[in-house]
Amino acid sequence: MLGTPRTRGAGSRARRLLAPGALMLAAGLMLAVAVPPVLSADCGCWRYVRLNAGDSLAPASAEETTLGEVTAPSYRVAWAVGSRGSRPLLMRWSGLFWRETPLPVPADTLLEGVAAATPGDAWTIGYGPDGTPRAAHWAGDTWRPVAMPQQGPSFPRAIDARTTADAWIVGSGGTQATTWHWDGGAWSQVVIPDSTATPSALVAVSARASDDVWAVGGRGASPARQLLLHWDGQGWTPFIAPDLNGAAGLADVVALDRNDVWAVGSVREPQTSEPQTSMATATIGMVTERPLAEHWDGRAWRDVPLPGVGGRFSSVTGDGHGGIWAAGEKSDGTAFFARWDGRRWELSGAPVPGGEDTDARMASPVSGVWGLTRLPRTDYLWAVGTYRPSGRDIPAHLAITWTNAPRPR
């Protein structure tokens, strides 16, 4: 059911992908979507960044770890959150390497989000097993816990900090979608219209301006429907999702401009038993879950398909040139990136340590990109997720980071 706490798994973005369901239909907004072309060539621009060899998160460890969210307010500062075993995990990028950082939250906290307005102002949020919301604030010198209002069990799932005095958290309170706002002094709960129905939950938020905020999630009993909400400075308004041939779930959203917003996740489509006439259609015919990318142009949401690729998107961000990067995992369990340049998709692989190992005794490679963010005023990005090392010595999944930025000098 929507709104219930999640179990620890392969990244908070992956956990957030709400149960796909039938979408709200509106005949006046049903759009005929042309399938965009795909350029499958790998850009070769992504590289993984090893975690500090002196850290307990280095590949010598067999403990299950994951990074699910990342924020990067500058080239020399980035924060990433996830879990190590059953404990919360916070990593800091210094410009040269990643280092684990202590966090003043209980050891049973499930971290779900991190966001930084500036290098000296950052937030991380999560909740306890009993539904106690937990937030911590970085003011440039240390992390400090900050109280959040609570009426019953509450589950913060995502945060976006636009300025030091304007930040949003989304999630659920009990079984109802919930939002919280930071005004520079305290967090307050902001009511969502009853029309969102119960159960409902929000899983991602993007704040472009004080009167232009988007949040996405799901609503209704299983199977769920998409929930797309917009904040105009006065209140939250629900919007109609595009008509799809399948059940959809959303995982992330990014607002690039007032009339340029993207939401990503996955859609499960019915299999076809008809004979296929080409490799491309055969691939599409076998896909039961495909990455979902939806675009808001100021008038309506529409589907922008990524044909021939099975799997799911877990995260999305701008590319710095008017397009987007989206990332997740393919249906074969491998991580990938996809860039939309306004006309077509370009696919790129996500390299992992030992990825060149083709030992047939090894189980299928497993990796996923769960979090993605762009450095301000650049086209450089950070991505975080998990991978399973080659061989059988380390059966656990380990945290990993990727970037397309130049190596530090």
Side-chain angles (χ1 to χ4, degrees), residues 387-407:
Y387 76 102
R388 186 175 62 204
S390 300
R392 299 183 177 182
D393 295 337
I394 308 175
H397 296 88
L398 300 180
I400 188 172
T401 69
W402 295 269
T403 186
N404 62 356
R407 296 180 184 275

PDB file of all heavy atoms in Angstrom, residues 387-407:
ATOM      1  N   TYR A 387      26.682  -1.712  -7.386  1.00  0.00           N
ATOM      2  CA  TYR A 387      27.154  -2.716  -8.334  1.00  0.00           C
ATOM      3  C   TYR A 387      27.573  -3.942  -7.551  1.00  0.00           C
ATOM      4  O   TYR A 387      27.795  -3.879  -6.335  1.00  0.00           O
ATOM      5  CB  TYR A 387      28.328  -2.192  -9.167  1.00  0.00           C
ATOM      6  CG  TYR A 387      29.648  -2.153  -8.414  1.00  0.00           C
ATOM      7  CD1 TYR A 387      30.622  -3.126  -8.621  1.00  0.00           C
ATOM      8  CD2 TYR A 387      29.920  -1.143  -7.489  1.00  0.00           C
ATOM      9  CE1 TYR A 387      31.825  -3.098  -7.934  1.00  0.00           C
ATOM     10  CE2 TYR A 387      31.117  -1.112  -6.802  1.00  0.00           C
ATOM     11  CZ  TYR A 387      32.068  -2.089  -7.024  1.00  0.00           C
ATOM     12  OH  TYR A 387      33.257  -2.053  -6.328  1.00  0.00           O
ATOM     13  N   ARG A 388      27.674  -5.061  -8.244  1.00  0.00           N
ATOM     14  CA  ARG A 388      28.188  -6.277  -7.623  1.00  0.00           C
ATOM     15  C   ARG A 388      29.525  -6.593  -8.261  1.00  0.00           C
ATOM     16  O   ARG A 388      29.614  -6.762  -9.481  1.00  0.00           O
ATOM     17  CB  ARG A 388      27.227  -7.451  -7.827  1.00  0.00           C
ATOM     18  CG  ARG A 388      27.647  -8.707  -7.062  1.00  0.00           C
ATOM     19  CD  ARG A 388      26.606  -9.795  -7.194  1.00  0.00           C
ATOM     20  NE  ARG A 388      26.434 -10.206  -8.580  1.00  0.00           N
ATOM     21  CZ  ARG A 388      25.331 -10.770  -9.053  1.00  0.00           C
ATOM     22  NH1 ARG A 388      24.290 -10.917  -8.260  1.00  0.00           N
ATOM     23  NH2 ARG A 388      25.257 -11.145 -10.318  1.00  0.00           N
ATOM     24  N   PRO A 389      30.587  -6.684  -7.471  1.00  0.00           N
ATOM     25  CA  PRO A 389      31.920  -6.926  -8.038  1.00  0.00           C
ATOM     26  C   PRO A 389      31.989  -8.261  -8.767  1.00  0.00           C
ATOM     27  O   PRO A 389      31.224  -9.184  -8.509  1.00  0.00           O
ATOM     28  CB  PRO A 389      32.831  -6.916  -6.811  1.00  0.00           C
ATOM     29  CG  PRO A 389      32.056  -6.216  -5.748  1.00  0.00           C
ATOM     30  CD  PRO A 389      30.623  -6.527  -6.017  1.00  0.00           C
ATOM     31  N   SER A 390      32.954  -8.348  -9.664  1.00  0.00           N
ATOM     32  CA  SER A 390      33.187  -9.596 -10.381  1.00  0.00           C
ATOM     33  C   SER A 390      33.689 -10.670  -9.421  1.00  0.00           C
ATOM     34  O   SER A 390      34.306 -10.377  -8.390  1.00  0.00           O
ATOM     35  CB  SER A 390      34.219  -9.380 -11.496  1.00  0.00           C
ATOM     36  OG  SER A 390      33.776  -8.414 -12.415  1.00  0.00           O
ATOM     37  N   GLY A 391      33.459 -11.901  -9.747  1.00  0.00           N
ATOM     38  CA  GLY A 391      33.940 -13.005  -8.925  1.00  0.00           C
ATOM     39  C   GLY A 391      32.978 -13.351  -7.817  1.00  0.00           C
ATOM     40  O   GLY A 391      31.910 -12.768  -7.669  1.00  0.00           O
ATOM     41  N   ARG A 392      33.393 -14.298  -6.974  1.00  0.00           N
ATOM     42  CA  ARG A 392      32.497 -14.798  -5.924  1.00  0.00           C
ATOM     43  C   ARG A 392      32.967 -14.432  -4.525  1.00  0.00           C
ATOM     44  O   ARG A 392      32.354 -14.832  -3.545  1.00  0.00           O
ATOM     45  CB  ARG A 392      32.384 -16.324  -6.035  1.00  0.00           C
ATOM     46  CG  ARG A 392      31.795 -16.776  -7.368  1.00  0.00           C
ATOM     47  CD  ARG A 392      31.639 -18.282  -7.414  1.00  0.00           C
ATOM     48  NE  ARG A 392      31.022 -18.725  -8.651  1.00  0.00           N
ATOM     49  CZ  ARG A 392      30.727 -19.986  -8.929  1.00  0.00           C
ATOM     50  NH1 ARG A 392      31.024 -20.934  -8.043  1.00  0.00           N
ATOM     51  NH2 ARG A 392      30.177 -20.319 -10.079  1.00  0.00           N
ATOM     52  N   ASP A 393      34.062 -13.709  -4.417  1.00  0.00           N
ATOM     53  CA  ASP A 393      34.606 -13.397  -3.097  1.00  0.00           C
ATOM     54  C   ASP A 393      33.743 -12.383  -2.354  1.00  0.00           C
ATOM     55  O   ASP A 393      33.724 -12.357  -1.131  1.00  0.00           O
ATOM     56  CB  ASP A 393      36.033 -12.867  -3.219  1.00  0.00           C
ATOM     57  CG  ASP A 393      36.990 -13.919  -3.765  1.00  0.00           C
ATOM     58  OD1 ASP A 393      36.655 -15.120  -3.624  1.00  0.00           O
ATOM     59  OD2 ASP A 393      38.019 -13.545  -4.330  1.00  0.00           O
ATOM     60  N   ILE A 394      33.071 -11.497  -3.097  1.00  0.00           N
ATOM     61  CA  ILE A 394      32.276 -10.448  -2.475  1.00  0.00           C
ATOM     62  C   ILE A 394      30.855 -10.540  -3.025  1.00  0.00           C
ATOM     63  O   ILE A 394      30.542  -9.956  -4.054  1.00  0.00           O
ATOM     64  CB  ILE A 394      32.861  -9.047  -2.762  1.00  0.00           C
ATOM     65  CG1 ILE A 394      34.343  -9.020  -2.382  1.00  0.00           C
ATOM     66  CG2 ILE A 394      32.102  -7.972  -2.001  1.00  0.00           C
ATOM     67  CD1 ILE A 394      35.042  -7.731  -2.737  1.00  0.00           C
ATOM     68  N   PRO A 395      29.976 -11.276  -2.361  1.00  0.00           N
ATOM     69  CA  PRO A 395      28.637 -11.466  -2.901  1.00  0.00           C
ATOM     70  C   PRO A 395      27.727 -10.253  -2.740  1.00  0.00           C
ATOM     71  O   PRO A 395      26.689 -10.176  -3.379  1.00  0.00           O
ATOM     72  CB  PRO A 395      28.104 -12.656  -2.090  1.00  0.00           C
ATOM     73  CG  PRO A 395      28.836 -12.556  -0.778  1.00  0.00           C
ATOM     74  CD  PRO A 395      30.208 -12.034  -1.119  1.00  0.00           C
ATOM     75  N   ALA A 396      28.104  -9.320  -1.878  1.00  0.00           N
ATOM     76  CA  ALA A 396      27.225  -8.186  -1.593  1.00  0.00           C
ATOM     77  C   ALA A 396      27.267  -7.135  -2.704  1.00  0.00           C
ATOM     78  O   ALA A 396      28.217  -7.066  -3.491  1.00  0.00           O
ATOM     79  CB  ALA A 396      27.626  -7.531  -0.272  1.00  0.00           C
ATOM     80  N   HIS A 397      26.243  -6.319  -2.754  1.00  0.00           N
ATOM     81  CA  HIS A 397      26.246  -5.146  -3.617  1.00  0.00           C
ATOM     82  C   HIS A 397      26.976  -4.019  -2.886  1.00  0.00           C
ATOM     83  O   HIS A 397      26.841  -3.860  -1.677  1.00  0.00           O
ATOM     84  CB  HIS A 397      24.820  -4.708  -3.939  1.00  0.00           C
ATOM     85  CG  HIS A 397      24.047  -5.718  -4.729  1.00  0.00           C
ATOM     86  ND1 HIS A 397      23.333  -6.731  -4.133  1.00  0.00           N
ATOM     87  CD2 HIS A 397      23.893  -5.877  -6.062  1.00  0.00           C
ATOM     88  CE1 HIS A 397      22.762  -7.469  -5.066  1.00  0.00           C
ATOM     89  NE2 HIS A 397      23.090  -6.973  -6.243  1.00  0.00           N
ATOM     90  N   LEU A 398      27.738  -3.230  -3.633  1.00  0.00           N
ATOM     91  CA  LEU A 398      28.521  -2.154  -3.044  1.00  0.00           C
ATOM     92  C   LEU A 398      28.131  -0.814  -3.649  1.00  0.00           C
ATOM     93  O   LEU A 398      27.713  -0.733  -4.804  1.00  0.00           O
ATOM     94  CB  LEU A 398      30.016  -2.407  -3.263  1.00  0.00           C
ATOM     95  CG  LEU A 398      30.583  -3.697  -2.659  1.00  0.00           C
ATOM     96  CD1 LEU A 398      32.074  -3.798  -2.959  1.00  0.00           C
ATOM     97  CD2 LEU A 398      30.329  -3.767  -1.161  1.00  0.00           C
ATOM     98  N   ALA A 399      28.308   0.235  -2.863  1.00  0.00           N
ATOM     99  CA  ALA A 399      28.016   1.585  -3.328  1.00  0.00           C
ATOM    100  C   ALA A 399      29.020   2.010  -4.390  1.00  0.00           C
ATOM    101  O   ALA A 399      30.184   1.600  -4.365  1.00  0.00           O
ATOM    102  CB  ALA A 399      28.054   2.555  -2.143  1.00  0.00           C
ATOM    103  N   ILE A 400      28.565   2.830  -5.330  1.00  0.00           N
ATOM    104  CA  ILE A 400      29.436   3.321  -6.390  1.00  0.00           C
ATOM    105  C   ILE A 400      28.970   4.714  -6.803  1.00  0.00           C
ATOM    106  O   ILE A 400      27.801   5.063  -6.637  1.00  0.00           O
ATOM    107  CB  ILE A 400      29.423   2.363  -7.607  1.00  0.00           C
ATOM    108  CG1 ILE A 400      30.472   2.775  -8.642  1.00  0.00           C
ATOM    109  CG2 ILE A 400      28.032   2.286  -8.220  1.00  0.00           C
ATOM    110  CD1 ILE A 400      30.640   1.772  -9.775  1.00  0.00           C
ATOM    111  N   THR A 401      29.914   5.516  -7.290  1.00  0.00           N
ATOM    112  CA  THR A 401      29.578   6.832  -7.851  1.00  0.00           C
ATOM    113  C   THR A 401      30.150   6.941  -9.256  1.00  0.00           C
ATOM    114  O   THR A 401      31.160   6.308  -9.579  1.00  0.00           O
ATOM    115  CB  THR A 401      30.126   7.979  -6.988  1.00  0.00           C
ATOM    116  OG1 THR A 401      31.553   8.004  -7.077  1.00  0.00           O
ATOM    117  CG2 THR A 401      29.727   7.825  -5.531  1.00  0.00           C
ATOM    118  N   TRP A 402      29.466   7.729 -10.080  1.00  0.00           N
ATOM    119  CA  TRP A 402      29.924   8.006 -11.443  1.00  0.00           C
ATOM    120  C   TRP A 402      29.940   9.516 -11.669  1.00  0.00           C
ATOM    121  O   TRP A 402      29.220  10.269 -10.995  1.00  0.00           O
ATOM    122  CB  TRP A 402      28.980   7.417 -12.486  1.00  0.00           C
ATOM    123  CG  TRP A 402      28.862   5.939 -12.544  1.00  0.00           C
ATOM    124  CD1 TRP A 402      29.601   5.070 -13.298  1.00  0.00           C
ATOM    125  CD2 TRP A 402      27.896   5.119 -11.867  1.00  0.00           C
ATOM    126  NE1 TRP A 402      29.161   3.773 -13.125  1.00  0.00           N
ATOM    127  CE2 TRP A 402      28.120   3.779 -12.255  1.00  0.00           C
ATOM    128  CE3 TRP A 402      26.859   5.397 -10.973  1.00  0.00           C
ATOM    129  CZ2 TRP A 402      27.347   2.730 -11.775  1.00  0.00           C
ATOM    130  CZ3 TRP A 402      26.092   4.360 -10.488  1.00  0.00           C
ATOM    131  CH2 TRP A 402      26.339   3.022 -10.887  1.00  0.00           C
ATOM    132  N   THR A 403      30.739   9.955 -12.617  1.00  0.00           N
ATOM    133  CA  THR A 403      30.711  11.351 -13.017  1.00  0.00           C
ATOM    134  C   THR A 403      31.155  11.463 -14.480  1.00  0.00           C
ATOM    135  O   THR A 403      31.860  10.587 -14.991  1.00  0.00           O
ATOM    136  CB  THR A 403      31.632  12.222 -12.132  1.00  0.00           C
ATOM    137  OG1 THR A 403      31.462  13.595 -12.472  1.00  0.00           O
ATOM    138  CG2 THR A 403      33.093  11.840 -12.307  1.00  0.00           C
ATOM    139  N   ASN A 404      30.762  12.560 -15.134  1.00  0.00           N
ATOM    140  CA  ASN A 404      31.283  12.875 -16.456  1.00  0.00           C
ATOM    141  C   ASN A 404      32.198  14.097 -16.399  1.00  0.00           C
ATOM    142  O   ASN A 404      32.540  14.653 -17.422  1.00  0.00           O
ATOM    143  CB  ASN A 404      30.139  13.104 -17.464  1.00  0.00           C
ATOM    144  CG  ASN A 404      29.255  14.276 -17.078  1.00  0.00           C
ATOM    145  OD1 ASN A 404      29.436  14.894 -16.031  1.00  0.00           O
ATOM    146  ND2 ASN A 404      28.277  14.575 -17.915  1.00  0.00           N
ATOM    147  N   ALA A 405      32.552  14.499 -15.177  1.00  0.00           N
ATOM    148  CA  ALA A 405      33.460  15.623 -14.987  1.00  0.00           C
ATOM    149  C   ALA A 405      34.906  15.184 -15.177  1.00  0.00           C
ATOM    150  O   ALA A 405      35.230  14.005 -15.014  1.00  0.00           O
ATOM    151  CB  ALA A 405      33.277  16.215 -13.590  1.00  0.00           C
ATOM    152  N   PRO A 406      35.799  16.119 -15.523  1.00  0.00           N
ATOM    153  CA  PRO A 406      37.215  15.760 -15.659  1.00  0.00           C
ATOM    154  C   PRO A 406      37.791  15.259 -14.347  1.00  0.00           C
ATOM    155  O   PRO A 406      37.305  15.609 -13.257  1.00  0.00           O
ATOM    156  CB  PRO A 406      37.861  17.088 -16.067  1.00  0.00           C
ATOM    157  CG  PRO A 406      36.753  17.939 -16.571  1.00  0.00           C
ATOM    158  CD  PRO A 406      35.537  17.533 -15.816  1.00  0.00           C
ATOM    159  N   ARG A 407      38.825  14.465 -14.425  1.00  0.00           N
ATOM    160  CA  ARG A 407      39.488  13.981 -13.211  1.00  0.00           C
ATOM    161  C   ARG A 407      40.153  15.156 -12.486  1.00  0.00           C
ATOM    162  O   ARG A 407      40.687  16.068 -13.125  1.00  0.00           O
ATOM    163  CB  ARG A 407      40.555  12.937 -13.563  1.00  0.00           C
ATOM    164  CG  ARG A 407      39.985  11.679 -14.179  1.00  0.00           C
ATOM    165  CD  ARG A 407      41.071  10.673 -14.500  1.00  0.00           C
ATOM    166  NE  ARG A 407      40.524   9.511 -15.180  1.00  0.00           N
ATOM    167  CZ  ARG A 407      39.996   8.461 -14.575  1.00  0.00           C
ATOM    168  NH1 ARG A 407      39.970   8.436 -13.241  1.00  0.00           N
ATOM    169  NH2 ARG A 407      39.525   7.442 -15.266  1.00  0.00           N
TER     170      ARG A 407
END
